[in-house]
Every structure is written in structure tokens, then in C-alpha cells.
Amino acid sequence: MTIDGAGEQEAPEGCGARVRSALAWRWGSQLVAQFITWGSTILVVRLLDPSDYGLFAMSQVVVTALNFLNGWSFASSLIQAEKVGEREIGQAFALLLLTNGALALIQLLIAPLAASYYGQPEVAALLRVQALIFLAIPFTALPTALLARRLEFRGQGIANLVSAIVAAVTALVLAWRGFGVWALIYAPIAGYAVRAAIMCVAARLWVRPVFDLKGAGRMVGFGGALTLCQLFWIVQSQSDIFIAGHVFTVHQLGLYSEALFLTLIVTGRFIPPLNDVAFPAYSELHKAGRALGPYFERTMQSVLLVVSPIYIGLSLTAPEAILVVFGAKWTGMAPIVSGLALVMPLMAVQIICSPTVTATGKERIYLATSMAGAAIFGTSFLIGVQFGAQGLVRAWWVAAPLLLAITLALTLPQIRLPLRRLLLAALPPAAACLAMAGVVAALRLVLPADIGPVATLAILGLAGAATYCGILFFAWPDVVRQSVAMLRRTPSDPLPLPASGPAPGDRTSTIAD
């Protein structure tokens, strides 16, 4: 069994067409699935209490940490390899089965220790049940890699949609029937199981695991390097909840964790799926001897054009947005959301850097930035937690810009992209957001206090969106046209890459992955 077209060079025109199709399915399905998840999340949040989310966040520190070590990178090595046959696929399958079986066992063993650390006995039961997630991962990771290698994302898109619906319905029904935190536990398990079944059918995965790993040195080396990177990413992405869980009350942790979930929706849910397309696309470009700098520059600008107004707008309107969407019992997380949203555009740029170096075989750079992220974020959170939730917010303000500066310093020379060009590409969204912030702040000062949160949110949101779009259309019309044209590019034009974003970026999920 071989993968058709694997390792063959292709004209940029043909690759560009496949990237557009892959992007349409991967990002489009993610968008629809996320709207389904958002709708269900809002209803579930209204049914449950902050303490339920506090317990869930405590268990998720362990689940997410182990999940980052699930060996997905062994499957990802198939994407980068020149040629792949049945033996290589079977070896990757075996590695996934062994890795995830071990992780499930580890989670069962450390469940009581985690409960003791947090002082919450129920956490042990939550972790034991969530160990089932690891049983589905080999049957998701391997078909995902096989389809991604061929830039075929239709089956993955269908799997995302169906699993999102199943998880959302499960969470709603269980929350409505009074299951409390268990609604958040069973929903992702149902989603994972459905997604694994659909992905195996879509990828026509009829292969036996090969436990003889002779000749799998490159696979183990590549996968091991990325897994080590993920180990450091665990420290970076989970240390705030881990540290705060020992200091905050369950209610306080629930507010912080949900604020973090809300602000990470775009960077954690939309950009990693786009990276799923960027990684194989960058790999093909690198094999064809093409420089990645121009494509990364265009990708970064498009990402910032989309995420910057969302996050700056959320920061400016957080009090009204939280009250209207989540209800009065969640208003305590508004200042946390407002502060975290300010640095998320920087995290978006940070996340899209990883496919460039992994696609070119520079895993050591990814490893270096992961180590730096673990040290910077871990230290910042240790200091910040002493000052409560706002202390953690300020830790993000310090850590995110510093890590991005280190990442760009290591990445840009590898893709031959001058920093000046990158900054010029970031200027339009940055300037438009600055103007938007000025208009919204001025408008808030003159709005009557008695018009209510819904009217206030609507007025500020519309005024901010109009200002942002107006600045871009009048000051940088070419940037707007180029971004729109990426969706309608002719075959003779340069290869377009994702218009807005395996890479880290996901943290935790309220309902399903």
C-alpha cells in the first residue's frame, strides 16, 4: 500500500488548487463546527455553574498535558516523508497504539494524586472516565495524516461536523438533565469516538499495526522531536491552571478558565486547523526548492487582518459581551477576558510560525522556541498567581510578546524573510485596530448609561467594525483586494496559503475538540 502522489513534485498551479480545496474543507468545516460548539457552549454555560468549570479545568490540566504526548507527531512524520508504504503506515499505527495505551494507564494511576493536589476528590473520577479519550486517538491521528499528505480534507471536514453535532447534543442533554460537570466530560468522549470512526472510513484505513520498528528511525526521530516540543508546550499552556488550581477557589478558577477558553477560541480553534493545511503545503514548497518567506508573510498579514479586530473588539466590549452572552453570574470574568484578549493577536502569529520550521526539517528551532515558551510562561505564571487572576493576565502581557520576539528571531532567517517586511505587513491591521479602539473608547464616554448592555454592545460593535473596515478600505485598498483575491486566485498566480492561520494552540475545550 502506498499513498498516491506521495513525494512527487507538483507544479505550483496544481498544488495551489489542492491547497485552496483543502483550506476550504478544513477551515470551512471547522468554522461551521465551531458555530455549532459555540451555540451549545453558551447554552451549557447558562445551565452550569462556575464551580463545574473549575472542576473541569482541574481535570483538563492532566488530560491536556498527556494528550500533547499522544504520539500524533509519529503520524505527522508520514506527511513530511518522501515515500510512504504499508510498512511505514503500520509502524506509525503501532507507535500510536503503544503510546496512547500507556497514556491511558498513566492517567488512571495519577488520578488520585491529582485529586489530592487540588483537594477535590471528584477530580479522580473525572480523570478515570476521560482516559477513554486515548483509545480513540490512534484511529484519528493516522487517517488524519494520510489524508493531509494528499491534501484531502473533505472526509476530515465531514468528521468534524458530525462529531461537533454529537458532542454538542450530548453536552446539552446532559446539562439539561442535571449531570453538572459530567456533561463536560461525556460530550468530548462521544465526539472523539464518532470522529475516529468517520476518519477511518474516509482514509480507507485497513492496515495492521507493525510492531517491528526496524527502519523507522526517521519516523521515531521526527516524532520524538515534536513530542519533546509538545512536552514543553504543556508547561507553557497548562502551568497557569495547574498553579492557580492550588491557590484559587473552584469558583475563581472557573471564571479564569472560562475567560481563557473564550479568548483562545480563535487562536486555539481556527488557526491550528489552518496550520494542518499549511504544514503539508509548506512541505511541498520546500521539496520544490521554493522559499517560504513570501507565503509566510502573506499568511501572517491575513491572519492579523481577521483576528486583530476580533480580539481588540472583545477587549473593548468585554463587560457588555459577557453579561449579554453568558449572564450575570459570569460577569466576574469580564476584566480577565478584556486583559487576555489584548495579547491574543501576538499568540496567533506565534502559532503560525511552527509549520514553517517543521516543514523544512528544522525541528530544533521548534524545540528551542518550545523550551523558551515553557521557561517564560511558567516563570511568569508563578510570579503572577500571587496577585490573583489579574496577576495571571499581566503574566500573559509579559510572556507572549517576549516569546514571539524569540520565535521570530529564530524563524525569519530560516525562511529568508526580513523583519522589516513582516512589520510592514502587520501595519494595516495594527493601525486600523488603533483607530477602532479610539472610536469605541470615545463613543463609550458619550453613550447614555441607561440604554442597557444589549444596545451598548450593538452600538460599540457596529461603530468599531465600521471604523476598522473603513480604515482598511480607504488607506490600504490593495491589502483588502489581495486578501479577497486569495479565495479566487487563478492557477497562474502564486500559491495562496491560509487566509487566516500539527501546531500547538489549542488549550482546553468546554464541549469537544
Side-chain angles (χ1 to χ4, degrees), residues 274-447:
L274 295 174
N275 274 357
D276 289 347
V277 178
F279 177 47
Y282 282 147
S283 295
E284 291 200 11
L285 287 168
H286 177 66
K287 293 171 188 175
R290 298 169 67 89
L292 302 184
Y295 305 109
F296 178 77
E297 176 188 354
R298 189 173 303 175
T299 300
M300 186 218 65
Q301 185 180 67
S302 297
V303 166
L304 289 180
L305 284 171
V306 174
V307 305
S308 297
I310 294 175
Y311 279 123
I312 302 304
L314 178 60
S315 179
L316 294 168
T317 62
E320 292 80 14
I322 298 303
L323 181 59
V324 171
V325 177
F326 294 101
K329 66 182 177 182
W330 289 95
T331 54
M333 75 176 185
I336 306 174
V337 169
S338 183
L340 289 174
L342 289 175
V343 298
M344 289 303 148
L346 301 183
M347 289 301 298
V349 178
Q350 168 72 31
I351 292 168
I352 65 173
C353 288
S354 59
T356 61
V357 292
T358 53
T360 57
K362 300 294 192 302
E363 297 92 359
R364 66 181 184 276
I365 295 178
Y366 185 16
L367 177 59
T369 57
S370 298
M371 293 173 64
I376 293 169
F377 274 87
T379 303
S380 299
F381 291 144
L382 276 173
I383 298 172
V385 75
Q386 303 174 47
F387 304 96
Q390 286 302 315
L392 292 180
V393 170
R394 289 175 175 81
W396 278 89
W397 290 355
V398 173
L402 182 56
L403 178 59
L404 179 59
I406 294 173
T407 300
L408 291 178
L410 295 175
T411 301
L412 295 185
Q414 299 297 323
I415 59 176
R416 300 195 293 275
L417 179 62
L419 178 61
R420 180 176 176 275
R421 284 186 56 180
L422 200 69
L423 294 177
L424 288 175
L427 178 61
C433 280
L434 185 62
M436 177 183 72
V439 169
V440 171
L443 190 57
R444 183 183 285 278
L445 293 176
V446 301
L447 282 178

Side-chain angles (χ1 to χ4, degrees), residues 17 40 61 88 98 104 106 129 241 256 267 272 298 324 340 376 380 393 398 403 422 456 459 463-464 486 500:
S40 179
V61 170
E88 289 77 16
L98 292 172
I106 290 171
V129 173
I241 300 293
Y256 175 78
T267 56
R298 189 173 303 175
V324 171
L340 289 174
I376 293 169
S380 299
V393 170
V398 173
L403 178 59
L422 200 69
T456 301
I459 293 171
M486 292 181 77
S500 320

Side-chain angles (χ1 to χ4, degrees), residues 32 49 95 102 217 239-240 244 252 270 323 335 337 497:
V32 176
D49 295 320
L95 287 169
S239 55
D240 52 350
Q252 291 171 329
F270 291 131
L323 181 59
V337 169
L497 286 174

